[in-house]
């Protein structure tokens, strides 16, 4: 059976994105709606995947393309390559997931030395024809033949310089004819062959170039950043050309049905008269604001406004639209659900609810935890002193401070060193993606809200200011000048405000955002004075809390952290790390325990450990009220609580060498450190092993917990405490420690008359524990998955080493798209979580399951934890709102969930 690889725009719909790509599916949908779409056809993503796997096109493709092209010729009454009335086409990429600017486009395919004459005669404009030809040569040379784009830019720049003009529009037909000849010479010189004159050969090579661009380095980087499947492939859209560069009644532009930066309703977009689409998005010419189109071509403006309304009503969302006007006739070239900033996402979602377009649950699906995180980032302090340098377009909001960098390699290098940078360019291009990903913010002197820099920055959540006309960016001299004066050089600090478009010299202080203040309980969302953004966040947080099944706890080790977490919506503590109670000045208490040589000394050391713990527990229990609190018994990698072996050895050796009297404690500690020294302490004497090795340690901690519970009860409280044994991998370890804990509980009840029966559970943080979970569950009241250590022991990675060492190499080569310590490895570590949960509940159906690694606050990981049936996630206080939001979304989206890499 023959596979269909080509679909005309008159077939298909917006529901076929996986097959036709987003652009092709939406072109088909607009055609179905009766909107003015130039005839054309889509080559499916199936064809791209075939090409990727076989290195050649499917056999049927050429014949199907010819047939589809013949249908377009018949519909328009023009023939491809005709010497009298030629049909020209554009060849554009279109993946299922939007990847703005990452893949290739070739316009004006079909022009050659003969058809350019026919185009000039038919249009009545030699200038237009020669301009269109040079655009084809420039795009084809760069995109299809991989010639350095600068070579073509130099030809254009020299032509403008020789004529003494600033823009392409000021060049005439003779200028463009000379440019065409020079560009053809570049292609001949660089490839050894002349520019292909056969239109069908141009089309064949352009289609192949779009397929190849799916695996271009920048596209791979973008997919890694956005976690898009590398196997999806791109569709190719072949569309009959309409010309925005034909005359002064022609134009091209991009518009949005709502402001993608703020979410507010209104007329938003940019356009250029006498231009083709690439001119707008590339930021090469500063655009005009869309409302001005009403003055230039009023009939087309009115038609466009009606179409924008139709599309938003149809898609029930913000739409991003590309259009071209050819001699007073409007054509629609693309629409898609538009990318937006975090603030716009929340505002648009709730506004559409108020307008009756969608319900609250759909609104919650349309925002996510990463967007909420961006809204929690600081903003510039309103009262702080600042020196304004310039103003531009507020393209993507936020407050960014960093050192000026003029190229992507510098930004990436500084990011690896931990130095924030602002990427400063005349205009960005797709090859700047790595720099934009690594930068704190992006600043350009050209382009508007629909330029490459603006669109990509919004998608990545980067602060961006575009189109700062007063700023001259000299990338060679590495200087920013205003009115001829150097205002910043590479390495100088600047601050940019993506909400206002302002650029400041030096570092401007920041303050908490209004959303952060609301989420931490400092702002009451029910007052009339609250901003519309906070009101939107408040409404959707309420929806999430109402629908979610997963509870959200916090990881907290102090009363202050516990209280902060509770204000942010924590429903308990999933992890109290008791070892954190012995950092700083208290570390000497652990040293004393290690140095204890007799039972009497050990008892004394343990008693000294108990009192500060008891006091800390009281504060934490009081802060949490009757919410559940899981206390993990000591799990210190011992090297973190003892002096460094090298430093201590040097200190003792110097004292010996100089004849000074040696500190007896230093000598004793050095002996203990040498005795306990481990090559890999993360896999050594810690957790349950420490409790078994040092008699009475976990019993003493249990006693401190019990006394704290009793003390809080005396004050009228009723803490719900759970005791967790760390690093268990064998049921026998659990038996031993649990017996010790239960004896302490019994002795405490007999001694004080206070009955306390806390649940006793364990962390599942080793692969063996997950695999033997059914056995362990028989004697555990609950499990908490410690995914930090489970990731280390499954991958064989040290978290500290992977994130400071080879991870960049792995990421650059696409071996890992993100750190497994940030987002759960669902097919490896996640599979162990799934096995542990399933086997644990096979032995004890009502076994309570949670996760206390930092993955508990990661949006993608939360959906997985919901899917495997955990009862709660636990994370740091700052991430609680994100976890609450994503837990709600996980419930609403559970039917479509599948584990992913």
């Amino acid at each position: 059976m023959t596979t269909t690889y080509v679909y005309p725009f008159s077939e298909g719909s917006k529901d076929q994105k996986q097959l036709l790509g987003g652009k092709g599916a939406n072109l088909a949908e607009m055609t179905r709606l009766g909107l003015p779409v130039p005839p054309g056809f889509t080559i499916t993503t199936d064809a791209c995947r075939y090409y990727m796997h076989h290195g050649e096109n499917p056999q049927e493709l050429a014949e199907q393309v010819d047939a589809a092209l013949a249908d377009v010729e018949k519909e328009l009454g023009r023939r491809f390559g005709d010497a009298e009335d030629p049909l020209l086409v554009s060849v554009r990429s279109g993946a299922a997931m939007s990847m703005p600017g990452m893949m290739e486009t070739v316009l004006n395919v079909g022009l050659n030395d003969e058809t350019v004459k026919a185009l000039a005669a038919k249009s009545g404009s030699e200038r237009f024809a020669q301009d269109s030809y040079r655009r084809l040569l420039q795009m084809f040379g760069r995109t299809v033949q991989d010639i350095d784009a600068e070579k073509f830019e130099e030809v254009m720049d020299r032509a403008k310089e020789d004529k003494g003009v600033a823009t392409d529009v000021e060049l005439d037909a003779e200028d463009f004819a000379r440019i065409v000849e020079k560009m053809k010479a570049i292609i001949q010189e660089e490839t050894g062959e002349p520019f292909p004159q056969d239109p069908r050969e141009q089309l064949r090579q352009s289609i192949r170039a779009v397929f190849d661009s799916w695996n271009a380095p920048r596209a791979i980087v973008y997919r890694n950043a956005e976690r898009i499947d590398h196997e999806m492939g791109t569709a190719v859209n072949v569309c009959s050309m309409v010309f925005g560069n034909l005359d002064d009644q022609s134009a091209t532009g991009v518009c949005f049905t709502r402001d993608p930066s703020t979410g507010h309703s209104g007329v938003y977009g940019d356009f250029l008269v006498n231009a083709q689409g690439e001119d707008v998005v590339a930021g090469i010419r500063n655009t005009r604001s869309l409302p001005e189109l009403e003055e230039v071509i009023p009939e087309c403006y009115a038609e466009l406004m009606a179409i924008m309304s139709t599309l938003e009503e149809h898609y029930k969302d913000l739409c991003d639209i590309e259009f071209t006007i050819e001699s007073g006739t409007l054509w629609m070239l693309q629409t898609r659900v538009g990318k937006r900033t975090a603030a716009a996402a929340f505002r648009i979602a709730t506004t559409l609810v108020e307008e009756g377009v969608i319900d609250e649950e759909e609104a919650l699906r349309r925002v996510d935890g990463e967007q909420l995180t961006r809204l929690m980032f600081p903003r510039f302090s309103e009262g702080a002193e600042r020196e304004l340098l310039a103003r531009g377009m507020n393209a993507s909001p936020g407050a960014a401070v960093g050192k000026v960098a003029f190229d992507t390699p510098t930004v990436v290098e500084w990011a690896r060193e931990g130095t924030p940078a602002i990427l400063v360019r005349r205009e960005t291009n797709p090859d700047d993606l790595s720099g934009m990903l690594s930068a704190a913010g992006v600043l350009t002197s050209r382009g508007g809200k629909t330029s490459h820099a603006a669109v990509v920055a919004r998608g990545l959540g980067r602060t961006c200011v575009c189109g700062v006309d007063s700023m001259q960016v000299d990338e060679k001299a590495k200087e920013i000048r205003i009115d001829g004066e150097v205002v910043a050089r590479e390495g100088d600090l600047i601050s940019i405000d993506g909400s206002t478009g302002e650029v400041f010299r030096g570092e401007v202080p920041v303050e908490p955002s209004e959303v952060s203040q609301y989420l931490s309980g400092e702002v009451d969302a029910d007052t009339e004075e609250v901003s519309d953004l906070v009101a939107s966040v408040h409404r959707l947080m309420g929806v999430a809390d109402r629908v979610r099944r997963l509870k959200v706890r916090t990881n907290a080790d102090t009363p202050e952290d516990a209280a902060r977490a509770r204000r942010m919506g924590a429903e308990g503590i999933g992890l109290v790390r008791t070892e954190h109670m012995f950092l700083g000045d208290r570390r000497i208490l652990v040293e004393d325990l290690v140095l204890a040589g007799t039972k009497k000394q050990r008892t004394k050391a343990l008693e000294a450990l108990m009192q500060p713990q008891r006091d800390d527990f009281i504060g934490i229990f009081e802060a949490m009220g009757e919410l559940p609190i899981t206390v993990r018994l000591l799990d210190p990698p011992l090297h973190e609580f003892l002096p460094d072996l090298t430093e201590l050895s040097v200190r003792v050796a110097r004292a010996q060498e100089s004849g000074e009297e040696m500190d007896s404690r230093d000598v004793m500690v050095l002996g203990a450190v040498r005795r306990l020294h481990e090559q890999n302490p993360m896999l050594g004497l810690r957790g349950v092993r420490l409790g078994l090795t040092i008699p009475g340690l976990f019993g003493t901690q249990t006693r401190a917990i019990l006394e704290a519970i009793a003390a809080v009860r005396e004050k009228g409280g009723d803490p719900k405490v759970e005791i967790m044994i760390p690093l268990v991998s064998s049921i026998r370890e659990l038996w031993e420690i649990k017996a010790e804990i239960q004896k302490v509980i019994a002795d405490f009840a007999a001694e004080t008359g206070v009955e306390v029966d806390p649940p006793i559970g364990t962390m599942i943080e080793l692969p063996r524990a997950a695999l033997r979970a059914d056995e362990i569950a028989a004697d555990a009241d609950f499990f908490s998955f410690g995914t930090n250590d489970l990731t280390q022991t499954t991958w064989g990675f040290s978290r500290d080493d992977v994130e400071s060492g080879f991870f960049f190499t792995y990421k650059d080569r696409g071996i890992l798209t993100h750190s497994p310590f940030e987002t759960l490895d669902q097919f490896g570590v996640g599979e162990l979580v799934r096995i542990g949960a399933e086997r644990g509940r096979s032995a004890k159906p009502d076994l309570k399951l949670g996760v206390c690694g930092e993955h508990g606050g990661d949006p993608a990981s939360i959906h997985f934890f919901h899917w495997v049936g955990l009862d709660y996630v636990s994370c740091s206080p700052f991430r609680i709102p994100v976890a609450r939001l994503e837990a709600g979304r996980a419930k609403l989206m559970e039917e479509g969930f599948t584990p992913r890499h």
Side-chain angles (χ1 to χ4, degrees):
M1 183 177 176
T2 302
T3 302
T4 301
Y5 289 109
V6 177
Y7 288 76
F9 293 163
S10 55
E11 299 178 11
S13 73
K14 63 182 175 65
D15 299 322
Q16 293 181 287
K17 286 185 179 179
Q18 297 302 318
L19 180 67
L20 303 178
K23 194 172 296 176
N26 289 325
L27 283 166
E29 189 74 8
M30 287 195 294
T31 302
R32 194 174 67 81
L33 291 173
L35 301 182
V37 176
F41 55 88
T42 298
I43 301 170
T44 66
T45 56
D46 286 344
C48 181
R49 284 189 290 273
Y50 185 100
Y51 176 81
M52 286 192 295
H53 293 152
H54 296 86
E56 60 183 7
N57 289 335
Q59 266 189 333
E60 307 95 320
L61 185 60
E63 184 178 335
Q64 291 181 18
V65 166
D66 286 344
L69 189 59
D71 288 341
V72 173
E73 291 175 325
K74 185 176 180 181
E75 184 174 352
L76 293 175
R78 299 200 301 272
R79 288 191 302 112
F80 193 54
D82 187 66
E84 293 184 5
D85 189 8
L87 168 68
L88 305 181
V89 298
S90 63
V91 181
R92 306 175 76 190
S93 61
M97 304 289 286
S98 177
M99 296 172 55
M102 294 304 111
M103 292 179 292
E104 300 297 3
T105 292
V106 186
L107 303 180
N108 307 312
V109 174
L111 275 177
N112 57 27
D113 292 348
E114 292 301 317
T115 56
V116 71
K117 297 173 185 174
L119 184 64
K122 195 73 179 176
S123 66
S125 172
E126 178 73 22
R127 181 197 178 283
F128 155 70
Q130 293 294 341
D131 179 30
S132 299
Y133 198 10
R134 73 89 186 171
R135 289 173 186 271
L136 170 62
L137 293 165
Q138 194 167 356
M139 283 185 165
F140 194 92
R142 175 180 59 80
T143 298
V144 179
Q145 299 176 315
D146 200 26
I147 298 171
D148 185 357
E150 285 295 319
K151 294 182 181 295
F152 298 108
E153 288 292 342
E154 285 172 8
V155 171
M156 290 296 297
D157 290 343
R158 194 173 303 116
K160 286 182 282 189
E161 189 177 313
D162 290 345
K163 191 156 188 173
V165 298
T167 65
D168 306 353
V169 178
E170 299 167 278
L171 298 174
D172 60 25
E174 291 182 1
D175 297 323
F176 280 121
R178 285 191 291 270
I179 288 168
V180 163
E181 291 307 313
K182 289 177 181 177
M183 288 186 175
K184 284 163 62 179
I186 290 171
I187 289 172
Q188 174 79 51
E189 182 179 344
E190 293 293 319
T191 67
E193 296 180 0
F195 172 73
Q197 294 292 303
D198 180 358
R200 291 185 185 272
E201 179 63 17
Q202 294 175 17
L203 179 59
R204 186 189 69 78
Q205 290 191 35
S206 296
I207 292 169
R208 187 199 64 208
V210 173
F211 283 161
D212 286 337
S213 72
W214 173 257
N215 282 322
R218 63 175 182 251
I220 292 172
V221 169
Y222 186 88
R223 290 198 298 276
N224 286 344
E226 296 294 304
R227 298 175 189 173
I228 297 172
D229 184 359
H230 291 293
E231 286 297 309
M232 290 178 72
T234 181
V236 180
N237 299 285
V238 179
C239 184
S240 50
M241 283 294 301
V242 289
F243 300 97
N245 62 329
L246 185 56
D247 52 37
D248 288 339
Q249 285 296 294
S250 300
T252 187
V254 178
C255 57
F256 302 90
T257 57
R258 296 172 191 252
D259 188 341
S261 182
T262 66
H264 293 138
S265 298
V267 180
Y268 298 95
D270 301 297
F271 76 99
L272 285 169
V273 173
N274 203 344
Q276 286 195 337
E278 293 301 299
D279 298 342
V280 175
V281 296
I284 295 170
R285 287 164 58 187
N286 282 345
T287 55
R288 298 173 69 175
S289 179
L290 188 61
E292 295 179 47
L293 183 62
E294 186 174 20
E295 303 168 14
V296 182
I297 315 174
E299 299 84 1
C300 290
Y301 177 81
E303 185 182 0
L304 178 62
M305 291 300 104
I307 289 174
M308 289 170 67
S309 178
T310 297
L311 287 172
E312 178 165 289
E313 184 177 338
H314 184 72
Y315 282 89
K316 301 184 188 320
D317 206 346
L318 159 70
C319 289
D320 173 354
I321 299 163
E322 292 182 20
F323 66 91
T324 283
I325 299 171
E326 180 182 284
S327 293
T329 300
L330 176 66
W331 295 96
M332 308 306 294
L333 302 186
Q334 179 178 336
T335 192
R336 60 189 172 196
V337 172
K339 292 188 178 294
R340 64 209 68 187
T341 65
F346 277 86
R347 284 195 185 100
I348 291 170
T350 54
T351 300
L352 291 174
V353 172
E354 290 164 5
E355 293 172 359
V357 177
I358 60 175
D359 61 25
E360 285 190 327
E361 292 188 357
E362 176 59 26
L364 180 58
R365 291 186 186 96
R366 293 189 181 184
V367 298
D368 60 49
E370 291 185 3
Q371 291 168 333
L372 182 61
T373 300
R374 292 170 197 163
L375 295 180
M376 296 168 69
F377 289 160
R379 61 186 178 184
F380 289 135
S381 301
E382 291 185 8
E385 288 188 13
R386 61 191 78 187
E387 181 183 347
L388 180 67
L389 290 177
R391 280 190 178 88
M393 292 273 191
N394 52 329
S396 184
V401 180
K403 291 185 175 181
V404 172
F406 292 92
D407 58 73
T408 282
T410 301
V411 173
V412 172
E413 181 184 347
W414 287 357
R416 291 184 177 182
E417 296 169 356
T419 302
I422 304 294
L423 177 62
V424 180
R425 306 280 277 158
R426 283 194 293 270
E427 68 270 342
T428 62
N429 62 61
D431 292 328
D432 286 318
L433 178 63
S434 296
M436 297 178 75
L437 277 166
S438 301
V442 179
L443 173 63
T444 70
S445 59
R446 298 176 181 172
K449 284 190 177 182
T450 59
S451 66
H452 175 271
V455 172
V456 175
R458 281 196 294 271
L460 298 175
R462 294 294 182 274
T463 297
C464 180
V465 174
C466 287
V468 186
D469 293 338
S470 62
M471 193 173 74
Q472 295 86 51
V473 176
D474 189 332
E475 294 168 2
K476 291 183 178 179
K478 298 187 183 300
E479 295 176 344
I480 301 174
R481 293 188 292 272
I482 295 177
D483 295 330
E485 178 188 349
V486 176
V487 296
R489 293 185 171 87
E490 184 167 87
D492 290 347
L493 275 175
I494 61 170
S495 303
I496 62 173
D497 190 332
S499 302
T500 64
E502 294 172 311
V503 182
F504 304 102
R505 191 195 302 272
E507 181 176 0
V508 177
V510 295
E511 63 185 10
S513 73
E514 57 179 347
V515 171
S516 178
Q517 290 174 314
Y518 150 68
L519 291 169
S520 61
E522 299 171 45
V523 172
D524 184 355
D526 293 321
T527 61
E528 292 183 2
E529 295 79 18
V530 74
S531 72
D532 60 347
L533 177 58
V534 168
S536 295
V537 172
H538 177 63
R539 183 170 189 171
L540 294 183
M541 291 299 293
V543 178
D545 288 337
R546 186 176 73 241
V547 303
R548 63 185 167 89
R549 178 186 59 76
L550 274 174
K551 298 292 185 183
V552 178
R553 298 195 195 181
T554 189
N555 300 339
D557 314 314
T558 66
E560 294 75 21
D561 278 349
R564 182 182 305 112
R566 194 169 180 185
R567 289 194 302 271
M568 300 188 87
E571 296 165 299
I573 296 179
L575 178 63
V576 177
R577 292 159 289 204
T578 54
E579 62 274 7
H580 285 193
M581 296 174 176
F582 297 101
L583 297 173
D585 294 341
R586 292 183 183 177
R587 198 173 77 169
I588 193 171
L589 299 176
V590 179
E591 284 187 20
D592 289 340
L593 180 62
V594 171
L595 292 174
T598 65
K599 183 177 180 181
K600 183 177 180 181
Q601 290 173 331
R602 184 180 302 114
T603 300
K604 183 180 178 182
L606 288 171
E607 288 174 353
L609 282 170
M610 192 174 78
Q611 187 60 42
Q613 280 190 97
R614 177 184 177 276
D615 294 342
D616 285 352
F617 287 143
I618 289 172
I620 292 170
F621 297 169
E622 288 178 338
M624 295 309 292
E626 295 186 13
L627 297 174
I629 303 162
T630 302
V631 178
R632 182 178 71 185
L633 301 179
L634 272 168
D635 182 24
L638 220 52
H639 71 290
E640 294 181 5
F641 290 84
L642 295 172
D644 179 77
L645 175 61
T646 302
E647 290 181 9
L648 193 56
S649 299
V650 168
R651 191 158 72 235
V652 171
R654 281 178 175 168
Q656 287 176 326
E657 187 177 335
S658 64
E660 297 175 7
E661 184 177 348
M662 287 186 291
D663 187 307
S664 60
R665 184 177 179 87
D666 278 356
V667 175
M668 290 174 63
V669 172
L670 178 58
V673 170
R674 283 175 173 162
R675 184 176 72 252
L676 296 171
H677 177 70
E678 297 170 312
Q679 291 300 323
N680 193 338
M682 294 305 293
L683 298 178
L685 184 58
R686 48 174 293 210
V688 69
R689 302 160 194 166
L690 195 65
L692 290 168
T693 304
I694 303 179
L697 175 58
F698 283 1
T700 300
Q701 285 198 283
T702 301
R703 177 75 185 209
I705 292 169
L706 299 176
E707 289 190 7
I709 292 173
V712 175
R713 281 185 182 177
E714 284 182 11
K715 298 178 183 179
D718 186 19
K720 302 292 190 293
V721 182
E722 305 160 345
I723 297 176
M724 184 159 66
I725 302 169
L727 216 70
V728 165
S729 58
S730 164
I731 185 62
R732 288 181 170 80
E733 294 171 319
L734 181 60
W735 287 342
E736 291 282 336
I737 296 299
K738 188 172 181 180
E740 180 181 350
I741 292 171
Q742 289 175 327
K743 183 178 185 308
V744 173
I745 292 172
D747 290 347
F748 182 76
E751 179 184 330
T752 64
V754 177
E755 295 289 340
V756 182
D757 188 21
I760 302 170
T762 185
M763 287 187 78
I764 304 296
E765 50 191 328
L766 297 171
R768 190 181 194 280
L771 296 172
R772 303 300 297 166
D774 49 349
E775 187 177 63
I776 294 171
D779 272 281
D781 295 321
F782 64 88
F783 284 172
S784 180
F785 290 93
T787 52
N788 295 345
D789 274 342
L790 194 56
T791 298
Q792 290 195 108
T793 52
T794 299
W795 278 91
F797 288 166
S798 161
R799 179 170 56 174
D800 295 336
D801 292 339
V802 69
E803 294 186 349
S804 63
F806 60 85
F807 177 63
F808 284 110
T809 301
Y810 270 46
K811 194 169 183 180
D812 289 344
R813 296 190 177 186
I815 298 170
L816 289 174
T817 59
H818 50 270
S819 168
F821 295 102
E822 294 177 4
T823 295
L824 188 77
D825 160 30
Q826 296 181 8
F827 283 100
V829 179
E831 180 66 4
L832 287 171
V833 173
R834 187 193 65 77
I835 290 170
E838 184 179 284
R839 294 184 181 178
R841 283 192 172 146
S842 71
K844 188 173 289 184
D846 60 348
L847 183 69
K848 184 162 64 176
L849 302 174
V851 60
C852 59
E854 271 302 298
H855 297 105
D858 171 67
S861 305
I862 289 169
H863 286 251
F864 179 86
F865 296 138
H866 174 91
W867 180 70
V868 297
L870 302 193
D871 295 302
Y872 69 86
V873 295
S874 188
C875 56
S876 61
F878 180 79
R879 304 188 83 179
I880 288 166
V882 171
R884 289 165 51 202
L885 187 85
E886 286 296 347
R889 297 183 71 245
K891 173 62 179 174
L892 296 178
M893 302 166 75
E894 61 187 353
E895 287 187 11
F897 179 84
T898 54
R900 66 178 190 176
H901 289 289

